[in-house]
Amino acid sequence: MAEIILGIESSCDDTSAAVLRDGVLLSNVIASQQVHKDFGGVVPELASRAHEQNIVPVVSEALRKAGIQADDLTAIAFTRGPGLLGSLLVGTSFAKALGLALEKPIVMVNHLQGHILANFIREPDKPVKEPQFPYLCLLVSGGNSQIVKVNSPLEYDILGQTIDDAVGEAFDKCSKMLGLGYPGGPVIDKLAAEGDPNRFHFAKPNIPGLDYSFSGVKTSLLYFVRDEMAKDPSFLENNKEDLCASFQKTLIDVLMGKLIRAAKETRIREITIGGGVSANSGLRRRMLEEGEKRHWNVYLPERKFTTDNAAMIAVAGWFAYKAGVRTPLDVAPVSRMADF
Ligand code: KG4
Protein backbone atom coordinates (compact mmCIF):
# COMPACT_ATOMS: atom_id res chain seq x y z
CA MET A 1 0.00 0.00 0.00
CA ALA A 2 1.23 3.49 -0.82
CA GLU A 3 2.71 5.54 2.00
CA ILE A 4 1.28 9.06 1.90
CA ILE A 5 2.84 11.73 4.11
CA LEU A 6 1.45 15.19 4.78
CA GLY A 7 4.22 17.66 5.68
CA ILE A 8 3.48 20.85 7.64
CA GLU A 9 5.93 23.76 7.99
CA SER A 10 5.31 26.87 10.12
CA SER A 11 8.67 27.71 11.72
CA CYS A 12 8.94 31.35 10.59
CA ASP A 13 6.81 33.40 8.17
CA ASP A 14 5.77 30.81 5.57
CA THR A 15 2.77 28.55 6.15
CA SER A 16 3.28 25.48 3.99
CA ALA A 17 1.79 22.01 3.47
CA ALA A 18 2.95 19.27 1.09
CA VAL A 19 1.87 15.76 0.17
CA LEU A 20 4.35 13.01 -0.67
CA ARG A 21 3.35 9.58 -2.01
CA ASP A 22 6.05 6.90 -1.74
CA GLY A 23 8.69 9.62 -1.77
CA VAL A 24 7.24 11.49 -4.77
CA LEU A 25 5.94 15.02 -4.28
CA LEU A 26 2.27 15.45 -5.23
CA SER A 27 1.75 19.00 -3.95
CA ASN A 28 3.59 21.79 -2.14
CA VAL A 29 1.54 24.83 -1.15
CA ILE A 30 3.18 27.89 0.41
CA ALA A 31 1.46 30.99 1.80
CA SER A 32 4.13 33.64 2.30
CA GLN A 33 3.19 36.31 4.78
CA GLN A 34 3.24 39.87 3.46
CA VAL A 35 2.44 41.56 6.80
CA HIS A 36 6.14 41.88 7.73
CA LYS A 37 7.26 43.92 4.72
CA ASP A 38 6.70 47.31 6.38
CA PHE A 39 8.66 46.31 9.48
CA GLY A 40 11.97 45.32 7.85
CA GLY A 41 11.88 41.88 9.48
CA VAL A 42 9.55 39.16 10.76
CA VAL A 43 7.29 40.27 13.64
CA PRO A 44 6.73 37.06 15.67
CA GLU A 45 3.26 37.92 16.98
CA LEU A 46 2.01 38.83 13.49
CA ALA A 47 3.56 35.64 12.09
CA SER A 48 1.65 33.42 14.57
CA ARG A 49 -1.64 35.13 13.77
CA ALA A 50 -1.11 34.77 10.02
CA HIS A 51 -0.23 31.05 10.43
CA GLU A 52 -3.47 30.57 12.38
CA GLN A 53 -5.44 32.07 9.48
CA ASN A 54 -3.50 30.23 6.77
CA ILE A 55 -3.08 26.73 8.12
CA VAL A 56 -6.54 25.29 7.29
CA PRO A 57 -6.75 26.64 3.70
CA VAL A 58 -3.11 25.73 2.99
CA VAL A 59 -3.50 22.11 4.16
CA SER A 60 -6.86 21.77 2.32
CA GLU A 61 -5.27 23.07 -0.87
CA ALA A 62 -2.31 20.68 -0.56
CA LEU A 63 -4.68 17.70 -0.20
CA ARG A 64 -6.85 18.92 -3.08
CA LYS A 65 -3.89 19.43 -5.42
CA ALA A 66 -2.55 15.98 -4.52
CA GLY A 67 -5.98 14.49 -5.32
CA ILE A 68 -6.30 12.73 -1.98
CA GLN A 69 -8.63 12.76 1.04
CA ALA A 70 -7.34 13.33 4.58
CA ASP A 71 -8.26 9.72 5.35
CA ASP A 72 -5.77 8.47 2.73
CA LEU A 73 -2.84 9.83 4.75
CA THR A 74 -0.40 7.39 6.31
CA ALA A 75 1.24 9.92 8.67
CA ILE A 76 1.53 13.64 9.39
CA ALA A 77 5.01 15.16 9.59
CA PHE A 78 5.48 18.61 11.08
CA THR A 79 8.25 21.02 12.01
CA ARG A 80 8.81 20.89 15.76
CA GLY A 81 11.66 23.46 15.74
CA PRO A 82 13.89 25.37 15.73
CA GLY A 83 12.06 28.59 14.87
CA LEU A 84 9.65 31.15 16.33
CA LEU A 85 7.75 29.47 19.14
CA GLY A 86 4.36 31.05 18.40
CA SER A 87 4.67 30.07 14.73
CA LEU A 88 5.75 26.51 15.56
CA LEU A 89 2.84 26.15 17.99
CA VAL A 90 0.34 26.61 15.16
CA GLY A 91 1.81 23.86 12.94
CA THR A 92 2.48 21.51 15.84
CA SER A 93 -1.00 21.91 17.35
CA PHE A 94 -2.62 21.47 13.95
CA ALA A 95 -0.63 18.27 13.27
CA LYS A 96 -1.54 16.89 16.70
CA ALA A 97 -5.24 17.66 16.26
CA LEU A 98 -5.31 16.17 12.76
CA GLY A 99 -3.45 13.05 13.90
CA LEU A 100 -5.87 12.61 16.77
CA ALA A 101 -8.96 13.16 14.62
CA LEU A 102 -7.79 10.82 11.83
CA GLU A 103 -6.15 8.30 14.19
CA LYS A 104 -2.91 8.59 12.17
CA PRO A 105 0.63 8.80 13.56
CA ILE A 106 2.44 12.12 13.73
CA VAL A 107 6.19 12.47 13.10
CA MET A 108 8.20 15.45 14.31
CA VAL A 109 10.89 16.91 12.07
CA ASN A 110 13.81 19.21 12.82
CA HIS A 111 13.53 22.14 10.39
CA LEU A 112 17.26 22.05 9.66
CA GLN A 113 17.01 18.38 8.75
CA GLY A 114 14.43 19.39 6.16
CA HIS A 115 16.88 21.85 4.56
CA ILE A 116 19.74 19.35 4.53
CA LEU A 117 17.52 16.71 2.84
CA ALA A 118 16.10 19.11 0.22
CA ASN A 119 18.06 17.32 -2.52
CA PHE A 120 15.86 14.25 -1.97
CA ILE A 121 12.63 15.98 -3.01
CA ARG A 122 11.47 14.00 -6.04
CA GLU A 123 8.91 15.52 -8.39
CA PRO A 124 6.94 13.31 -10.80
CA ASP A 125 8.73 12.74 -14.11
CA LYS A 126 11.73 14.86 -13.13
CA PRO A 127 15.03 13.04 -12.71
CA VAL A 128 16.80 13.99 -9.48
CA LYS A 129 20.47 13.61 -8.58
CA GLU A 130 20.69 12.47 -4.96
CA PRO A 131 23.86 12.84 -2.89
CA GLN A 132 25.51 9.76 -1.43
CA PHE A 133 25.96 9.48 2.34
CA PRO A 134 28.02 10.78 4.02
CA TYR A 135 27.87 14.23 2.44
CA LEU A 136 28.55 17.78 3.55
CA CYS A 137 25.81 20.38 3.54
CA LEU A 138 26.47 24.11 3.73
CA LEU A 139 23.30 25.15 5.51
CA VAL A 140 22.76 28.88 5.11
CA SER A 141 19.57 30.71 6.03
CA GLY A 142 18.22 33.66 7.99
CA GLY A 143 18.72 31.77 11.25
CA ASN A 144 21.65 29.43 10.58
CA SER A 145 25.07 29.18 8.99
CA GLN A 146 26.46 25.72 9.49
CA ILE A 147 28.58 23.05 7.90
CA VAL A 148 26.82 19.76 8.54
CA LYS A 149 28.15 16.25 7.93
CA VAL A 150 25.13 14.19 6.98
CA ASN A 151 25.81 10.54 7.84
CA SER A 152 22.33 9.23 7.03
CA PRO A 153 18.87 10.82 6.64
CA LEU A 154 18.41 10.88 10.41
CA GLU A 155 21.95 11.25 11.66
CA TYR A 156 24.21 14.24 11.26
CA ASP A 157 27.09 16.11 12.93
CA ILE A 158 27.47 19.88 12.97
CA LEU A 159 31.13 20.53 12.10
CA GLY A 160 30.98 24.31 12.34
CA GLN A 161 28.50 27.12 12.83
CA THR A 162 28.25 30.87 13.22
CA ILE A 163 29.21 32.34 16.56
CA ASP A 164 27.13 35.48 15.95
CA ASP A 165 24.91 36.49 13.00
CA ALA A 166 23.67 34.02 10.41
CA VAL A 167 24.73 34.85 6.85
CA GLY A 168 21.10 35.53 5.84
CA GLU A 169 20.90 38.02 8.71
CA ALA A 170 24.01 39.75 7.33
CA PHE A 171 22.28 40.05 3.93
CA ASP A 172 19.05 41.30 5.54
CA LYS A 173 20.61 43.77 7.98
CA CYS A 174 22.94 45.27 5.36
CA SER A 175 20.12 45.62 2.87
CA LYS A 176 18.10 47.49 5.49
CA MET A 177 21.10 49.67 6.27
CA LEU A 178 21.56 50.52 2.58
CA GLY A 179 17.83 51.27 2.30
CA LEU A 180 17.26 48.39 -0.14
CA GLY A 181 14.38 46.66 1.68
CA TYR A 182 13.51 43.27 3.17
CA PRO A 183 14.29 40.41 2.71
CA GLY A 184 17.73 41.61 1.73
CA GLY A 185 19.20 38.47 0.14
CA PRO A 186 17.21 38.53 -3.11
CA VAL A 187 17.65 42.33 -3.53
CA ILE A 188 21.42 42.23 -2.97
CA ASP A 189 21.69 39.17 -5.24
CA LYS A 190 19.93 41.07 -8.07
CA LEU A 191 21.95 44.30 -7.71
CA ALA A 192 25.20 42.31 -7.31
CA ALA A 193 24.68 40.82 -10.78
CA GLU A 194 25.19 44.34 -12.23
CA GLY A 195 28.20 45.29 -10.10
CA ASP A 196 31.96 44.75 -9.79
CA PRO A 197 32.68 42.26 -6.97
CA ASN A 198 36.34 43.33 -6.75
CA ARG A 199 35.79 47.07 -6.40
CA PHE A 200 35.53 47.29 -2.58
CA HIS A 201 37.09 45.18 0.14
CA PHE A 202 35.57 44.40 3.54
CA ALA A 203 37.12 42.86 6.64
CA LYS A 204 36.97 39.06 6.73
CA PRO A 205 36.70 37.24 10.06
CA ASN A 206 39.52 35.17 11.45
CA ILE A 207 37.76 32.49 13.49
CA PRO A 208 39.45 29.21 14.40
CA GLY A 209 38.21 25.81 13.20
CA LEU A 210 35.15 25.49 11.02
CA ASP A 211 33.03 28.14 12.76
CA TYR A 212 31.80 31.30 11.10
CA SER A 213 31.29 34.92 12.10
CA PHE A 214 29.43 37.53 10.05
CA SER A 215 29.00 40.48 12.39
CA GLY A 216 32.43 41.97 11.49
CA VAL A 217 31.76 41.99 7.73
CA LYS A 218 28.50 43.78 8.41
CA THR A 219 30.18 46.42 10.59
CA SER A 220 32.94 46.85 8.03
CA LEU A 221 30.36 47.68 5.34
CA LEU A 222 28.50 50.01 7.70
CA TYR A 223 31.61 52.08 8.60
CA PHE A 224 32.81 52.15 5.02
CA VAL A 225 29.50 53.49 3.69
CA ARG A 226 29.21 55.99 6.57
CA ASP A 227 32.72 57.40 5.85
CA GLU A 228 32.18 57.59 2.09
CA MET A 229 28.78 59.27 2.53
CA ALA A 230 30.40 61.93 4.72
CA LYS A 231 32.62 62.81 1.73
CA ASP A 232 29.97 62.37 -0.98
CA PRO A 233 26.24 62.14 -0.05
CA SER A 234 25.43 60.47 -3.40
CA PHE A 235 28.02 57.71 -2.87
CA LEU A 236 25.47 55.04 -1.97
CA GLU A 237 23.12 55.78 -4.84
CA ASN A 238 25.99 55.90 -7.37
CA ASN A 239 27.73 52.74 -6.15
CA LYS A 240 24.86 50.45 -5.06
CA GLU A 241 25.65 47.68 -7.52
CA ASP A 242 29.38 47.56 -6.78
CA LEU A 243 28.74 47.70 -3.03
CA CYS A 244 26.31 44.77 -3.23
CA ALA A 245 28.59 42.75 -5.51
CA SER A 246 31.64 43.32 -3.28
CA PHE A 247 29.73 42.62 -0.07
CA GLN A 248 28.18 39.45 -1.50
CA LYS A 249 31.59 38.26 -2.74
CA THR A 250 33.05 38.76 0.75
CA LEU A 251 30.28 36.63 2.32
CA ILE A 252 30.72 33.92 -0.32
CA ASP A 253 34.53 33.90 0.17
CA VAL A 254 34.01 33.38 3.91
CA LEU A 255 31.42 30.61 3.41
CA MET A 256 33.48 28.78 0.80
CA GLY A 257 36.77 29.08 2.72
CA LYS A 258 35.47 26.96 5.61
CA LEU A 259 33.54 24.59 3.36
CA ILE A 260 36.72 23.82 1.38
CA ARG A 261 38.55 23.22 4.63
CA ALA A 262 35.79 20.89 5.89
CA ALA A 263 35.89 18.91 2.64
CA LYS A 264 39.67 18.53 2.97
CA GLU A 265 39.52 17.53 6.63
CA THR A 266 36.73 14.97 6.18
CA ARG A 267 37.84 13.88 2.67
CA ILE A 268 34.21 14.08 1.61
CA ARG A 269 33.54 15.11 -1.99
CA GLU A 270 29.74 14.90 -1.96
CA ILE A 271 28.77 18.52 -1.34
CA THR A 272 25.32 20.13 -1.08
CA ILE A 273 23.85 23.44 0.01
CA GLY A 274 20.51 24.24 1.62
CA GLY A 275 18.54 27.05 3.27
CA GLY A 276 17.30 30.39 1.96
CA VAL A 277 20.75 31.81 1.12
CA SER A 278 21.44 28.78 -1.11
CA ALA A 279 19.16 30.53 -3.64
CA ASN A 280 21.94 33.10 -4.11
CA SER A 281 23.18 33.12 -7.72
CA GLY A 282 26.76 34.03 -6.78
CA LEU A 283 26.98 31.26 -4.20
CA ARG A 284 25.49 28.66 -6.55
CA ARG A 285 27.93 29.67 -9.30
CA ARG A 286 30.91 29.50 -6.92
CA MET A 287 29.82 26.06 -5.64
CA LEU A 288 29.87 24.74 -9.20
CA GLU A 289 33.25 26.37 -9.95
CA GLU A 290 34.88 25.03 -6.78
CA GLY A 291 33.28 21.64 -7.40
CA GLU A 292 34.80 21.47 -10.85
CA LYS A 293 38.22 22.55 -9.58
CA ARG A 294 38.24 20.20 -6.60
CA HIS A 295 36.49 17.20 -8.18
CA TRP A 296 33.49 17.45 -5.88
CA ASN A 297 30.06 16.13 -6.77
CA VAL A 298 27.95 19.23 -6.16
CA TYR A 299 24.18 19.04 -5.61
CA LEU A 300 22.15 22.24 -5.70
CA PRO A 301 18.51 22.01 -4.63
CA GLU A 302 16.02 23.66 -6.96
CA ARG A 303 15.58 27.32 -6.01
CA LYS A 304 11.94 26.79 -5.00
CA PHE A 305 13.09 24.26 -2.38
CA THR A 306 15.80 26.48 -0.86
CA THR A 307 13.52 28.72 1.19
CA ASP A 308 11.09 27.38 3.78
CA ASN A 309 8.69 24.79 2.35
CA ALA A 310 6.78 21.75 3.53
CA ALA A 311 8.07 19.46 0.74
CA MET A 312 11.38 19.12 2.59
CA ILE A 313 9.52 18.47 5.87
CA ALA A 314 7.45 15.74 4.21
CA VAL A 315 10.65 14.12 2.83
CA ALA A 316 12.41 14.25 6.20
CA GLY A 317 9.21 12.94 7.83
CA TRP A 318 9.03 10.07 5.35
CA PHE A 319 12.60 9.01 6.13
CA ALA A 320 11.76 9.18 9.85
CA TYR A 321 8.47 7.30 9.41
CA LYS A 322 10.26 4.51 7.53
CA ALA A 323 12.81 4.33 10.35
CA GLY A 324 9.96 3.79 12.84
CA VAL A 325 9.76 7.27 14.36
CA ARG A 326 6.33 7.99 15.93
CA THR A 327 5.87 11.12 18.01
CA PRO A 328 3.60 11.12 21.08
CA LEU A 329 0.71 13.59 21.21
CA ASP A 330 2.14 15.42 24.22
CA VAL A 331 5.02 16.78 22.09
CA ALA A 332 5.68 20.52 22.38
CA PRO A 333 7.54 22.73 19.88
CA VAL A 334 11.04 24.01 20.67
CA SER A 335 12.49 27.30 19.52
CA ARG A 336 16.20 26.53 19.82
CA MET A 337 18.36 23.89 18.21
CA ALA A 338 19.96 23.10 21.57
CA ASP A 339 16.58 21.99 22.96
CA PHE A 340 15.89 19.56 20.16
O1 KG4 B 1 15.57 29.40 4.88
P1 KG4 B 1 14.85 30.69 4.92
O2 KG4 B 1 13.69 30.89 3.98
O3 KG4 B 1 14.29 31.00 6.36
C1 KG4 B 1 14.99 30.73 7.51
O4 KG4 B 1 15.81 31.59 7.89
O5 KG4 B 1 14.74 29.64 8.07
O6 KG4 B 1 15.94 31.82 4.67
C2 KG4 B 1 15.63 33.17 4.62
C3 KG4 B 1 16.91 33.93 4.33
C4 KG4 B 1 16.76 35.45 4.41
O7 KG4 B 1 17.79 35.95 5.21
C5 KG4 B 1 16.91 35.89 2.95
O8 KG4 B 1 17.46 37.18 2.82
C6 KG4 B 1 17.84 34.83 2.42
O9 KG4 B 1 17.40 33.63 3.02
N1 KG4 B 1 17.77 34.72 0.94
C7 KG4 B 1 18.82 35.01 0.13
C8 KG4 B 1 18.36 34.86 -1.19
N2 KG4 B 1 17.05 34.47 -1.14
C9 KG4 B 1 16.71 34.38 0.18
N3 KG4 B 1 20.07 35.39 0.44
C10 KG4 B 1 20.91 35.64 -0.59
N4 KG4 B 1 20.54 35.52 -1.90
C11 KG4 B 1 19.29 35.14 -2.24
N5 KG4 B 1 18.94 35.04 -3.53
Side-chain angles (χ1 to χ4, degrees):
M1 208 166 105
E3 281 175 353
I4 306 180
I5 309 290
L6 170 69
I8 296 174
E9 156 64 27
S10 72
S11 64
C12 190
D13 60 340
D14 292 303
T15 319
S16 181
V19 175
L20 200 72
R21 181 165 59 207
D22 289 334
V24 177
L25 188 67
L26 300 183
S27 65
N28 183 39
V29 177
I30 304 176
S32 294
Q33 304 176 359
Q34 300 305 315
V35 288
H36 311 285
K37 278 221 152 50
D38 295 341
F39 298 92
V42 177
V43 183
E45 177 64 26
L46 295 181
S48 324
R49 294 182 200 188
H51 282 304
E52 195 63 41
Q53 283 174 338
N54 293 342
I55 190 88
V56 171
V58 164
V59 170
S60 306
E61 181 67 0
L63 295 176
R64 193 193 62 75
K65 278 194 166 163
I68 65 152
Q69 305 292 322
D71 244 349
D72 300 330
L73 293 172
T74 308
I76 299 144
F78 64 98
T79 304
R80 182 186 176 211
L84 300 172
L85 200 66
S87 292
L88 291 163
L89 262 169
V90 177
T92 303
S93 305
F94 186 87
K96 285 165 46 163
L98 192 63
L100 189 65
L102 298 172
E103 296 183 20
K104 306 280 173 161
I106 59 167
V107 179
M108 67 181 189
V109 169
N110 179 328
H111 179 76
L112 306 182
Q113 202 182 342
H115 279 307
I116 64 183
L117 294 173
N119 280 291
F120 291 89
I121 302 172
R122 268 192 270 148
E123 292 181 276
D125 306 322
K126 262 200 199 173
V128 65
K129 211 173 97 186
E130 294 178 354
Q132 305 293 305
F133 297 99
Y135 63 86
L136 295 183
C137 178
L138 177 66
L139 175 57
V140 278
S141 70
N144 298 277
S145 302
Q146 298 179 327
I147 299 176
V148 185
K149 176 170 169 260
V150 190
N151 303 313
S152 74
L154 301 184
E155 204 194 312
Y156 51 92
D157 302 313
I158 295 169
L159 304 183
Q161 58 190 323
T162 182
I163 58 165
D164 42 52
D165 288 351
V167 64
E169 248 179 303
F171 272 108
D172 293 338
K173 286 182 182 168
C174 286
S175 170
K176 195 171 172 186
M177 201 171 80
L178 301 179
L180 301 175
Y182 173 86
V187 187
I188 292 183
D189 192 359
K190 203 162 159 218
L191 287 167
E194 311 289 317
D196 174 2
N198 297 309
R199 167 106 187 271
F200 304 117
H201 299 277
F202 304 110
K204 287 186 189 155
N206 187 12
I207 305 292
L210 295 173
D211 285 339
Y212 286 118
S213 163
F214 293 102
S215 68
V217 191
K218 191 186 64 190
T219 316
S220 171
L221 172 74
L222 172 73
Y223 288 163
F224 177 72
V225 172
R226 188 195 59 187
D227 294 348
E228 293 301 316
M229 292 288 281
K231 291 182 249 166
D232 169 14
S234 58
F235 174 79
L236 182 55
E237 193 45 43
N238 293 339
N239 296 282
K240 248 184 345 212
E241 291 81 4
D242 290 348
L243 276 170
C244 287
S246 304
F247 176 66
Q248 179 172 293
K249 178 179 182 295
T250 309
L251 296 179
I252 294 172
D253 286 347
V254 174
L255 288 171
M256 292 309 292
K258 294 285 170 101
L259 182 63
I260 291 167
R261 187 164 161 185
K264 278 190 189 150
E265 285 179 10
T266 57
R267 295 167 187 237
I268 293 176
R269 288 171 192 278
E270 297 284 298
I271 313 285
T272 72
I273 46 176
V277 180
S278 70
N280 185 268
S281 331
L283 180 58
R284 291 172 84 89
R285 201 166 39 243
R286 182 78 79 80
M287 284 285 289
L288 295 173
E289 285 165 10
E290 294 292 348
E292 180 113 19
K293 198 155 87 190
R294 296 170 196 280
H295 308 290
W296 293 346
N297 295 319
V298 171
Y299 305 83
L300 305 177
E302 275 201 49
R303 273 203 170 81
K304 64 180 175 192
F305 297 133
T306 57
T307 45
D308 290 347
N309 66 86
M312 66 183 195
I313 301 304
V315 166
W318 188 54
F319 278 121
Y321 178 81
K322 285 194 297 181
V325 175
R326 306 289 183 269
T327 301
L329 282 175
D330 61 357
V331 65
V334 289
S335 58
R336 296 182 323 144
M337 178 74 183
D339 300 327
F340 214 89

